[in-house]
Amino acid sequence: MKNRVVRKFVEYVCNNYIGNFLGFAIGMASTRLVAHFFTTRSIRNLWGLTARKTVVDKHTYSTMEWVLSIIIGFIVFELVSKWLQKKVSELLPKYKLTQWMVEREEPAPISGTKCG
């Protein structure tokens, strides 16, 4: 019982914290993707007259950054969580120090025999 609880806790920590961190980091990095294709009106591009990218207003620009970072971050979080969960379940039985975290099947009681 205790080993199963500890195993579930370790899986939860690994899946969520690593997945959340990578999802957040890649989601924040994906905001550069919006900057690659779009720009806002500013003094640098003479309020959009000399811009080589598509010019959008500041509200649309920030909304696109938020939406893109959330979507890409969520996709990365899900992929990392599923992949990490699969790898952890494959690797845990191999190492002596982590064998206690693997759920072992209990032997089924022998049925059909009567004593006495």
Side-chain angles (χ1 to χ4, degrees):
M1 172 77 178
K2 181 182 176 187
N3 290 342
R4 190 176 349 156
V5 171
V6 172
R7 179 177 184 254
K8 292 294 181 186
F9 178 73
V10 169
E11 281 182 14
Y12 174 78
V13 168
C14 287
N15 288 339
N16 286 325
Y17 288 119
I18 293 173
N20 282 341
F21 174 73
L22 287 176
F24 174 76
I26 292 176
M28 294 311 297
S30 68
T31 59
R32 298 278 300 151
L33 190 62
V34 173
H36 184 72
F37 293 107
F38 299 99
T39 187
T40 59
R41 293 180 180 165
S42 66
I43 190 103
R44 290 186 317 186
N45 59 19
L46 295 177
W47 287 273
L49 294 176
T50 62
R52 295 188 175 126
K53 302 174 189 175
T54 305
V55 178
V56 293
D57 65 345
K58 289 183 182 186
H59 179 69
T60 305
Y61 186 82
S62 65
T63 303
M64 286 191 307
E65 281 183 332
W66 272 96
V67 169
L68 190 68
S69 67
I70 288 171
I71 290 172
I72 291 176
F74 178 73
I75 290 171
V76 168
F77 167 70
E78 285 298 317
L79 291 175
V80 166
S81 294
K82 301 300 181 205
W83 178 78
L84 189 66
Q85 184 178 16
K86 180 181 167 188
K87 284 296 181 186
V88 165
S89 64
E90 289 174 1
L91 292 176
L92 283 181
K94 293 181 182 178
Y95 300 106
K96 189 174 184 177
L97 294 175
T98 58
Q99 285 180 353
W100 61 273
M101 290 194 280
V102 177
E103 240 177 89
R104 292 191 182 104
E105 294 182 18
E106 295 179 17
I110 301 171
S111 60
T113 58
K114 290 186 178 181
C115 294

